[in-house]
Amino acid sequence: QVQLVESGGGLVQPGGSLRVSCAASGRIFSLAAMGWYRQAPGKQRELVARITSGGTTTYADSVKGRFIISRNNRERTVYLQMTSLKPEDTAVYYCNFDPPASYWGQGIQVTVSS
């Protein structure tokens, strides 16, 4: 009944920028904290950015100062603006609630490479 659909990924050169988007269904969206997660090959999925229902944001140290998370409660959408991208940012990016629901969307591939 609840859907999480990521979009906007792709290939970008080091130092470049990219914005990924997440459309989430459900009436509770506006009340829930949302997060962006990523999983690199051979690595565990990790939370990189979080935004509360009121708009308070937190970031993993690895992305702090480079990524910005935002949300539009009316559109039930959460965004991740990524700048100064590094090859180590290469991963599949997922959105979910924080704490996450037991289900996940397909994620979106972000590849940072020359």
Side-chain angles (χ1 to χ4, degrees), residues 5-96:
V5 182
E6 299 90 350
S7 62
L11 174 66
V12 64
Q13 293 186 340
S17 300
L18 200 66
R19 188 176 79 158
V20 291
S21 303
C22 171
S25 65
R27 291 187 175 184
I28 65 170
F29 175 85
S30 64
L31 302 178
M34 298 293 296
W36 278 99
Y37 304 75
R38 70 184 183 188
Q39 187 168 26
K43 304 292 186 180
Q44 290 187 323
R45 184 152 45 202
E46 63 175 340
L47 177 68
V48 298
R50 180 181 189 268
I51 184 167
T52 69
S53 61
T56 301
T57 60
T58 54
Y59 301 91
D61 288 342
S62 58
V63 308
K64 193 173 299 181
R66 300 187 297 118
F67 290 10
I68 297 176
I69 187 172
S70 61
R71 68 192 295 165
N72 185 316
N73 288 340
R74 183 180 62 83
E75 298 182 353
R76 298 176 181 175
T77 305
V78 61
Y79 306 93
L80 186 68
Q81 178 67 50
M82 301 177 285
T83 60
S84 300
L85 283 161
K86 306 174 181 179
E88 64 196 40
D89 296 318
T90 296
V92 177
Y93 284 72
Y94 303 85
C95 67
N96 211 322

